[in-house]
Amino acid sequence: MTGLDPAEFTTLRLRESGDRMHAVLDRPEVRNAIDAAMIAELHTLCAALETTPKILILSGTEVPGRDGTTKGLFASGADIGQLKERRRDDALRGINSTLFDRLAQLPMPVIAALDGFALGGGAELAWAADFRLGSDTLKLGQPETGLGIIPAAGALWRLRELAGEAIAKEMLFAGRILDAEEALAHGLISSVHPSEELPAAAEALADRIARQDPLAVRITKQVFAMPRDAHPHVDNLAQAILFESEEKFARMQAFLDRKKKGTTS
């Protein structure tokens, strides 16, 4: 266990199990806007997961809808009240970009379960995840230029890598907001689910990851992020480490035993 006390968090709700951590963005009164307190708590969470690697699921809490019902929402963006007061030195500190890079580099995979709106900084938080699952009510976009700023926490380069230059420019320059099916078609999410089924879909993906060898998953994530000119040399070094692991021998022997049993039965 990471040793984190959920009671000490005010902007996140944490649920921890043996192989995963589920962090729910929990500022419903401001539509889960990402503020300085949430950034600080996400840094605390990252520090714990760097020391005790676990799969991380990120999702948003339900917020009140205009029709009196509650609706799922990931994050409406950065807290505009705080953002309006930030100046040059704040931008140079990379307040959000530093955190999102840290999230992207966590040892184990990060799953973002995107329900409702994921806009601005909320979308950039999602781009930093390894997997993005969407609800059928998802609205995904980068409206920053309409507010007189740029999306400086990863969208200007991650979005092009994820979806290609054409759609990235539409979202970044023209403020286009994608719905779930458009996001799926452009590879920005990997699947679409009804809102009520989204949490279970994220848990099911975490289950599939958890069935793999954790060390092999960690090394695969690290090698995947390497620049092209690092391959195949880094692949060979990583494989050399895994070839000596006890887990590799145990899993391969179990595979051979199952195959033998299937042949003789």
Side-chain angles (χ1 to χ4, degrees):
M1 303 295 280
T2 60
L4 292 174
D5 181 0
E8 295 179 356
F9 289 75
T10 61
T11 71
L12 304 175
R13 284 188 282 115
L14 302 183
R15 299 196 301 271
E16 182 176 5
S17 63
D19 55 33
R20 73 198 62 172
M21 175 74 75
H22 191 161
V24 180
L25 311 184
D26 190 24
R27 299 187 72 217
E29 69 282 0
V30 288
R31 300 175 66 79
N32 295 341
I34 300 170
D35 69 346
M38 185 179 288
I39 292 291
E41 291 186 359
L42 285 168
H43 272 297
T44 300
L45 175 60
C46 284
L49 294 178
E50 289 161 354
T51 301
T52 307
K54 291 175 181 278
I55 301 162
L56 173 61
I57 299 174
L58 291 170
S59 66
T61 192
E62 291 188 333
V63 300
R66 291 188 177 91
D67 58 1
T69 63
T70 58
K71 298 180 180 181
L73 186 143
F74 184 67
S76 59
D79 189 304
I80 301 300
Q82 290 187 5
L83 201 59
K84 179 177 177 291
E85 300 305 317
R86 290 182 184 172
R87 305 303 291 265
R88 175 188 60 197
D89 289 346
D90 297 309
L92 293 174
R93 285 167 54 205
I95 295 170
N96 287 11
S97 62
T98 299
L99 169 69
F100 296 168
D101 272 352
R102 190 175 188 181
L103 275 165
Q105 294 170 25
L106 284 175
M108 290 294 283
V110 178
I111 301 167
L114 308 177
D115 196 6
F117 289 102
L119 301 174
E124 290 183 297
L125 174 58
W127 307 145
D130 297 290
F131 302 93
R132 285 163 298 281
L133 311 182
S135 76
D136 51 10
T137 65
L138 178 63
K139 300 295 182 184
L140 189 60
Q142 302 290 164
E144 284 87 349
T145 53
L147 296 170
I149 58 173
I150 64 172
L156 288 174
W157 55 278
R158 284 197 176 103
L159 193 49
R160 177 169 55 187
E161 291 179 355
L162 291 168
E165 185 169 316
I167 191 63
K169 284 182 174 178
E170 259 200 271
M171 295 173 71
L172 295 167
F173 301 173
R176 179 175 170 183
I177 305 298
L178 304 184
D179 64 22
E181 291 302 327
E182 290 171 324
L184 181 64
H186 288 289
L188 290 171
I189 58 176
S190 57
S191 57
V192 179
H193 308 270
S195 290
E196 64 273 15
E197 297 177 12
L198 184 62
E203 294 288 353
L205 176 54
D207 289 341
R208 295 198 298 274
I209 296 169
R211 287 195 289 270
Q212 314 308 308
D213 171 27
L215 179 60
V217 172
R218 290 179 61 182
I219 290 179
T220 298
K221 179 173 177 177
Q222 290 177 335
V223 174
F224 187 88
M226 295 288 182
R228 175 63 185 87
D229 59 6
H231 304 281
H233 312 293
V234 70
D235 308 56
N236 295 339
L237 291 172
Q239 192 74 298
I241 294 170
L242 291 168
F243 271 11
E244 298 296 328
S245 76
E246 291 301 319
E247 188 70 11
K248 170 250 187 178
F249 289 106
R251 284 174 174 262
M252 289 194 174
Q253 187 60 55
F255 173 84
L256 293 172
D257 291 345
R258 289 194 302 271
K259 185 176 180 182
K260 183 178 180 181
K261 184 178 180 180
T263 301
T264 57
S265 60

